[in-house]
């Protein structure tokens, strides 16, 4: 049976009716008591940080096997560190939260959002004012020594980076590494378990700007749906979970989320 409600899974080619989609999103927000937000690189694209996949994505220019895998980091960490120094550092430190990050934080202030689960490592949800942020892939503003695990801030790391690349621990001389999950590493168990609990107990999950192709993170929206929650997907491009979502908005997050939050107030 084709779905005749134009606000549900609208045809991305048709452009949909944006204001009807915003009203539908607002209605879902009104009806929900425990909202969980799940974000990917697309939300930070509006803060000027390129996504990983798709046209202009990071991984189309930099092979993640070389620049973001634990195997390669162990073999030769200088690739990662040159990538961080020349490409990532400026992008991350200059980025400011965008209207969609701020809308998410506002929903938490109102008691609607109980958790933000993010695959992003840029720290922008916290900068926007969100407090309950579960970072599945770590945070690139933190570093530690690969040998003795001494922690380093981004400022300390940048100072050390000016002296030598890769930067080394002032205590033991070990190579520093980012506090992020590189390809080939396990996700932090406690964070994953907490995220799973949130996914299973929310009544609405809103997925913003994730291609939903990287596991295990991409399981969480499916887990939420299977536990009875409503599922909204806001993404410029189609995702593999669009067919199970209650509402899909194929547009930039900043075009719809702040407007729906405004209406919800
Ligand atoms: N609003 C909404 N969606 C957007 C926007 C926007 N303004 N801009 C881009 N997008 C969408 C893209 O269409 C794409 O589907 O965001 C998605 C970003 O997908 P990815 O680049 O694959 O990012 P993500 O899903 O977060 O990747 C997951 O992969 O490489 C790893 O560890 C990295 O955490 C990352 C993980």
């Amino acid at each position: 049976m084709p779905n005749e409600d134009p606000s549900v899974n609208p045809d991305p080619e048709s452009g949909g009716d944006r204001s009807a989609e915003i009203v539908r999103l607002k209605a879902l927000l009104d009806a929900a008591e425990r909202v969980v937000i799940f974000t990917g690189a697309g939300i930070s694209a509006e803060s000027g940080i390129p996504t990983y996949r798709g046209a202009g994505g990071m991984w189309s220019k930099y092979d993640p096997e070389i620049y973001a895998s634990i195997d390669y980091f162990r073999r030769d960490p200088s690739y990662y560190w040159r990538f961080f120094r020349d490409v990532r550092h400026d992008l991350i430190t200059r980025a400011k939260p965008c209207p969609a990050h701020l809308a998410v934080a506002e929903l938490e202030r109102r008691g609607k959002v109980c958790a933000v689960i993010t695959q992003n490592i840029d720290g922008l949800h916290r900068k926007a004012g969100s407090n309950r942020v579960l970072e599945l892939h770590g945070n690139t503003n933190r570093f530690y020594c690969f040998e003795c695990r001494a922690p380093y801030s981004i400022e300390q790391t940048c100072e050390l980076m000016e002296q030598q690349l890769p930067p080394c621990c002032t205590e033991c001389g070990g190579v520093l590494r980012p506090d992020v999950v590189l390809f080939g590493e396990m996700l932090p168990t406690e964070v994953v378990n907490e995220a799973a609990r949130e996914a299973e107990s929310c009544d609405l999950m809103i997925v913003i700007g994730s291609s939903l192709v990287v596991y295990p993170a991409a399981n969480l929206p499916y887990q939420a749906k299977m536990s009875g929650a409503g599922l909204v997907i806001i993404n410029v491009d189609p995702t593999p979970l669009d067919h199970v979502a209650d509402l899909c908005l194929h547009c930039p997050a900043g075009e719809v989320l702040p407007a729906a939050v405004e209406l919800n107030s």
Side-chain angles (χ1 to χ4, degrees):
M1 260 289 273
N3 196 328
E4 308 223 327
D5 178 348
S7 68
V8 177
N9 295 318
D11 175 6
E13 299 304 318
S14 75
D17 175 347
R18 203 62 81 222
S19 45
E21 290 173 351
I22 292 168
V23 168
R24 174 105 172 99
L25 177 55
K26 182 242 180 220
L28 289 170
L29 278 170
D30 283 349
E33 281 176 12
R34 286 183 66 83
V35 180
V36 167
I37 306 287
F38 177 94
T39 62
I43 192 169
S44 296
E46 294 174 26
S47 293
I49 302 176
T51 58
Y52 296 101
R53 295 172 185 77
M58 276 291 175
W59 299 153
S60 64
K61 296 190 200 120
Y62 302 94
D63 182 350
E65 281 300 318
I66 294 176
Y67 294 97
S69 79
I70 187 62
D71 283 351
Y72 221 92
F73 189 92
R74 281 186 200 283
R75 214 179 308 159
D76 186 353
S78 66
Y79 281 87
Y80 171 84
W81 280 108
R82 279 203 298 270
F83 174 60
F84 179 78
R85 182 192 61 188
D86 301 339
V87 183
R88 292 293 281 176
H89 172 258
D90 262 15
L91 285 172
I92 300 285
T93 48
R94 288 195 190 158
K96 293 195 171 51
C98 67
H101 289 111
L102 297 171
V104 168
E106 174 57 26
L107 286 173
E108 184 185 307
R109 263 192 297 278
R110 288 183 201 165
K112 265 288 162 199
V113 160
C114 52
V116 178
I117 303 173
T118 188
Q119 299 167 96
N120 298 343
I121 56 176
D122 53 37
L124 287 177
H125 282 297
R126 283 186 207 281
K127 275 196 192 163
S130 290
N131 290 308
R132 186 109 204 291
V133 185
L134 304 175
E135 294 174 320
L136 294 171
H137 295 165
N139 188 315
T140 195
N141 295 292
R142 296 188 305 254
F143 299 84
Y144 64 91
C145 171
F146 215 170
E147 300 299 325
C148 72
R149 301 188 76 84
Y152 286 82
S153 68
I154 191 161
E155 293 79 14
Q156 290 170 311
T157 304
C158 288
E159 266 177 40
L160 292 168
M161 220 164 52
E162 278 172 22
Q163 292 163 26
Q164 61 172 331
L165 213 68
C168 290
C169 180
T170 51
E171 302 291 317
C172 76
V175 169
L176 298 197
R177 61 157 293 168
D179 192 358
V180 303
V181 178
L182 296 171
F183 284 108
E185 292 188 297
M186 300 282 285
L187 272 61
T189 311
E190 270 179 32
V191 182
V192 171
N193 290 344
E194 216 173 321
R197 278 195 294 277
E198 293 294 349
E200 282 162 9
S201 61
C202 68
D203 51 18
L204 179 67
M205 181 177 277
I206 304 179
V207 178
I208 307 170
S210 174
S211 56
L212 294 177
V213 295
V214 175
Y215 285 83
N219 259 331
L220 291 162
Y222 192 70
Q223 235 170 310
K225 183 70 190 163
M226 289 302 107
S227 306
L231 182 63
V232 174
I233 296 181
I234 305 175
N235 208 74
V236 171
D237 295 308
T239 80
L241 279 191
D242 285 5
H243 66 288
V244 295
D246 299 278
L247 176 64
C248 278
L249 302 165
H250 288 126
C251 62
E255 248 180 51
V256 287
L257 193 66
V261 170
E262 180 98 342
L263 285 177
N264 173 265
S265 58

